[in-house]
Amino acid sequence: MSDLSAMGRAVFDESFGERVRALLRVRPVADAADNAARQPWGADGYDVVTLALAAIDTVIARQGFDDEITYDEVVAGLGALAANARPERTADEHSAVARYVVDVLLNRREREAPYSYRISIFGRDTGGSVRHRLISAEFRLLTEHEDHARGVNVLRASTDAINALVGGLEFDVEDEQAAIELMLARQLERGAFGQAEKAAERSRLLSVRYADELRTLLADTVRDIRSVLTQWAEHVPEQLERSRTHLEDRLAAEVKLLEHVRGALDAADAEPAIATAAARIAGLLEECRQRHTELHGRLVSARTIFLDEQTRQSFRPVGGLRNPDIADGVLLPLLTMPAGDAVDPAETFAVLLAGTQVPRIVRFADLVDDLLAPRREITPEDPPVLDDELGDPDPPAVPPEVLVAAARVVDTIELPARLSDLLLAVRVADLPEGFDRTAVERIIVLAVLWNYAPETAQDVSTAVDTAARVLGPAAAVDADGTTISVSGWSGDDLIVAEDEEALARWAATTHPRAREDREAS
């Protein structure tokens, strides 16, 4: 074995792998610069590394705002830079260079998959022997997302890209930002505006990453609260409180720094270079203040978002399962509505009928792969083994003749009517001698109760069919506090109507409270 005594101890530390990962973040850009020479436009005159850094910085500048930048806008900006570098070349070549750079940052060659590299991790066991293992390091630089409000696709810089741009490893954003602002204040006090501008730019990048962390948490909460429930239960409340305090401190510090910088701008004897640097610093600090103000508003509403989503996703009431009358209850009212009012329900119906809407970000390469995939062989299933001991099938829970008798009894009563009227009609109905009238009464009561409180049924499909056969497909049931007086039964004397409209008309004309109100008036 070779002598490892000359190697430093850092290579065996756990943090050494993180340093390797940090170094890998610039590898895609370096590879793109090497491969530029094999492009039709060549590498002479175009600095791919500078263009890549400019693209990431341009995306970060508008990240988190309502007007996040699009792919075409970044290409147009980089194309303008390429035109300044090689003005004698064509506009098509400038656009090709710009698209090449942005596509590398998105990794479009691999269909925007994360960049993946194998790195070595060295360590020592308890006996001092060296251990080696290979692991995969994955990261992204730019990602493409759909902006639903604007209906366009926008670009965002990943945390790895931001860390690569500020030249650091993984760090605590709050501590880093507080330290930078302290350093910035000292640099401004001694007039080192050149160094102060670099610190202000670093603070802006940290503000973008800080906002992205909260945006990701809230987006996951709205999408599926179960995926972040553990985080909310353990450390998110403390994190929100710490973040709120941090932002309040940052906003106060930025106000003081802006006053200091504006004082330098107002100075009559300020040198042009100092005044220019101070103006740029003021712009960066103003952007940080704007981002922090917006982020503070998100923090204030974060708990409300969590509670609202918990209510929406966890405590939604069970939807009604009554069968609507498609012709009279849905299609006819829709056809008689004004065209403007009918658009939304018609589109909703079409989406539910035809399937979900196609997303804006569609991978054509995925479609090609699916079309070119080999036909899947259908494995024939073995025939089921016949059981010689199978007997007659179980009889239905409710005999068909009981359902028919219950439906006939309901047809003899003019609805709306009370449950007691239906039960009394069963007792005087012309049924065959020896027919089980109790079973008919029971199935009518169960059908009425199902329509009144459908969530109490266990077999939903059977309950829907049974209730529809006995009371009708659009039957509606309500209660007004009246107690049933039929022997053998107790509880509310429920009101049964043919549909919701009939029930509403009955309530308006027959309900005791409505009658009292009319007499009083």
Side-chain angles (χ1 to χ4, degrees):
M1 178 180 288
S2 59
D3 189 6
L4 297 176
S5 59
M7 300 300 300
R9 291 182 298 176
V11 71
F12 303 110
D13 292 341
E14 294 182 358
S15 62
F16 194 80
E18 297 299 325
R19 295 166 61 188
V20 176
R21 290 188 181 93
L23 189 61
L24 278 177
R25 293 184 183 120
V26 300
R27 179 170 172 178
V29 178
D31 291 344
D34 292 339
N35 295 332
R38 292 187 285 274
Q39 301 301 315
W41 36 267
D44 295 338
Y46 296 115
D47 185 354
V48 173
V49 176
T50 299
L51 293 176
L53 190 63
I56 295 176
D57 187 71
T58 301
V59 172
I60 291 176
R62 287 165 58 176
Q63 187 165 323
F65 292 116
D66 293 335
D67 60 339
E68 290 183 305
I69 199 164
T70 64
Y71 176 90
D72 292 337
E73 290 174 333
V74 177
V75 169
L78 293 186
L81 293 179
N84 279 272
R86 298 295 299 272
E88 73 280 4
R89 297 296 183 92
T90 64
D92 291 341
E93 180 175 301
H94 300 152
S95 297
V97 173
R99 285 194 298 271
Y100 171 78
V101 173
V102 180
D103 289 349
V104 166
L105 297 177
L106 287 169
N107 197 17
R108 283 197 164 177
R109 182 179 178 182
E110 299 295 333
R111 290 177 277 178
E112 299 190 16
Y115 281 103
S116 180
Y117 299 98
R118 301 277 285 177
I119 63 175
S120 294
I121 300 296
F122 295 95
R124 292 186 183 274
D125 55 24
T126 55
S129 301
V130 176
R131 293 177 288 103
H132 170 261
R133 57 191 176 96
L134 286 172
I135 64 172
S136 295
E138 295 185 350
F139 62 90
R140 300 177 187 269
L141 295 177
L142 293 184
T143 55
E144 196 171 14
H145 302 267
E146 182 177 355
D147 188 339
H148 298 281
R150 297 162 57 197
V152 297
N153 297 337
V154 298
L155 301 183
R156 291 174 185 164
S158 66
T159 301
D160 295 296
I162 297 174
N163 287 336
L165 196 58
V166 301
L169 299 171
E170 298 294 335
F171 45 75
D172 184 83
V173 180
E174 298 174 359
D175 296 340
E176 183 82 2
Q177 201 163 38
I180 287 177
E181 288 182 352
L182 179 61
M183 178 178 63
L184 179 59
R186 296 185 60 181
Q187 290 168 345
L188 292 175
E189 289 177 359
R190 67 172 187 266
F193 285 91
Q195 299 177 1
E197 184 178 355
K198 298 177 183 179
E201 174 66 23
R202 186 182 181 91
S203 180
R204 180 179 71 90
L205 297 176
L206 292 174
S207 299
V208 174
R209 179 183 168 183
Y210 201 61
D212 274 353
E213 291 177 355
L214 179 62
R215 179 187 58 81
T216 302
L217 174 65
L218 295 182
D220 291 341
T221 301
V222 173
R223 183 176 62 252
D224 186 0
I225 196 173
R226 294 171 298 179
S227 64
V228 292
L229 199 57
T230 303
Q231 300 179 40
W232 278 97
E234 294 178 355
H235 60 270
V236 169
E238 297 180 1
Q239 177 186 345
L240 293 178
E241 182 63 25
R242 186 175 64 251
S243 299
R244 184 186 62 81
T245 304
H246 169 76
L247 287 177
E248 291 175 353
D249 294 341
R250 299 287 69 73
L251 288 170
E254 286 158 1
V255 170
K256 294 180 181 179
L257 291 173
L258 279 171
E259 293 176 353
H260 196 113
V261 173
R262 287 167 181 161
L265 287 172
D266 296 337
D269 56 346
E271 297 180 3
I274 294 179
T276 302
R280 289 195 293 265
I281 295 172
L284 293 172
L285 290 175
E286 183 62 32
E287 181 181 340
C288 290
R289 189 186 66 81
Q290 182 181 355
R291 289 182 181 274
H292 288 163
T293 302
E294 180 181 355
L295 185 57
H296 188 271
R298 288 186 181 181
L299 280 174
V300 172
S301 61
R303 294 178 185 271
T304 303
I305 291 176
F306 170 75
L307 295 176
D308 290 345
E309 290 303 319
Q310 187 180 46
T311 301
R312 183 181 69 87
Q313 299 181 34
S314 302
F315 302 112
R316 286 181 297 182
V318 178
L321 297 177
R322 296 169 181 163
N323 294 331
D325 188 339
I326 298 297
D328 296 335
V330 178
L331 294 180
L332 185 59
L334 184 65
L335 294 175
T336 57
M337 292 173 61
D341 298 336
V343 169
D344 289 341
E347 287 185 350
T348 302
F349 174 78
V351 170
L352 295 176
L353 182 66
T356 57
Q357 293 177 339
V358 178
R360 293 188 59 84
I361 302 178
V362 181
R363 312 294 183 201
F364 180 73
D366 294 341
L367 175 61
V368 174
D369 287 347
D370 292 339
L371 293 176
L372 297 179
R375 183 189 299 270
R376 290 177 293 181
E377 297 181 0
I378 301 177
T379 304
E381 298 182 357
D382 296 332
V385 179
L386 298 178
D387 191 349
D388 297 335
E389 298 181 0
L390 290 177
D392 296 333
D394 295 335
V398 181
E401 59 272 14
V402 173
L403 287 176
V404 173
R408 289 178 178 176
V409 170
V410 174
D411 290 340
T412 61
I413 302 298
E414 183 179 357
L415 301 180
R418 292 192 177 273
L419 176 59
S420 58
D421 297 332
L422 301 179
L423 297 178
L424 293 176
V426 173
R427 299 184 179 183
V428 298
D430 185 14
L431 298 176
E433 184 178 355
F435 199 90
D436 190 357
R437 297 176 184 267
T438 303
V440 178
E441 290 185 18
R442 185 181 300 110
I443 196 61
I444 291 178
V445 171
L446 290 176
V448 171
L449 289 177
W450 160 252
N451 277 273
Y452 182 66
E455 65 272 13
T456 59
Q458 294 180 356
D459 190 344
V460 174
S461 61
T462 302
V464 171
D465 294 339
T466 302
R469 290 186 61 181
V470 174
L471 302 178
V477 179
D478 200 0
D480 61 355
T482 303
T483 304
I484 194 170
S485 57
V486 177
S487 60
W489 298 98
S490 63
D492 289 339
D493 196 359
L494 299 175
I495 307 160
V496 183
E498 294 177 349
D499 51 36
E500 294 284 356
E501 294 183 0
L503 185 62
R505 291 194 300 269
W506 185 92
T509 58
T510 318
H511 195 280
R513 181 173 296 178
R515 187 186 305 115
E516 293 174 2
D517 292 342
R518 290 197 305 271
E519 293 175 355
S521 61

